[in-house]
Amino acid sequence: MFKINADPADCVVHSVIRFLNINNVKQAEIRQLVEIYGENVMTDGMVRKWIRQFNDKHTNVHDEAQSGRPSVFNDGLVAKVNEKIRENRWFTIRMLCDEFPQISKTVLHENVTNGLNYHKIW
């Protein structure tokens, strides 16, 4: 029986896929990584993606940096939101959305509750 490594680094799994792919192991057999690394190691679609990349002469086993969406919630904006909250302790997220229209309601709520640690008091 194999020892299960429940949380392997992505590059380790990618390296195993690359090795098996070079040795002409079938994709269905490569999916047996689940036996070694656990159920959440990688989906079938991701295995196919990495095999396709390695077949296209891609050799890097690390994920490429992704730019993502830039955050509009910077330190200066956090200070302004905190100042508005301190001006009116009976604030609502809706009121803050009116004051800061450039920030989505979801992002604002997350940053007020998680970042600034303000919570509803009954």
Side-chain angles (χ1 to χ4, degrees), residues 84-85 91-100 108 112:
K84 281 291 180 189
I85 292 171
F91 74 94
T92 63
I93 297 296
R94 173 65 57 206
M95 290 166 56
L96 289 175
C97 284
D98 293 340
E99 292 287 329
F100 302 98
L108 192 58
V112 167

Side-chain angles (χ1 to χ4, degrees), residues 2-10 12-13 33-42:
F2 297 108
K3 181 179 178 187
I4 294 178
N5 182 352
D7 191 23
D10 288 341
V12 171
V13 177
L33 292 170
V34 172
E35 293 176 12
I36 306 278
Y37 295 113
E39 286 294 322
N40 296 324
V41 66
M42 190 174 286

Side-chain angles (χ1 to χ4, degrees), residues 35-91:
E35 293 176 12
I36 306 278
Y37 295 113
E39 286 294 322
N40 296 324
V41 66
M42 190 174 286
T43 63
D44 289 333
M46 289 303 290
V47 171
R48 283 192 300 273
K49 173 193 167 218
W50 281 98
I51 290 173
R52 189 170 46 252
Q53 285 184 353
F54 293 137
N55 287 339
D56 291 340
K57 307 300 183 219
H58 179 84
T59 58
N60 189 0
V61 294
H62 299 281
D63 287 323
E64 294 176 4
Q66 298 175 356
S67 63
R69 187 174 185 178
S71 176
V72 296
F73 214 80
N74 57 31
D75 291 338
L77 208 47
V78 169
K80 288 179 183 178
V81 169
N82 194 27
E83 184 180 321
K84 281 291 180 189
I85 292 171
R86 290 186 178 272
E87 285 176 12
N88 178 9
R89 299 293 283 189
W90 297 99
F91 74 94

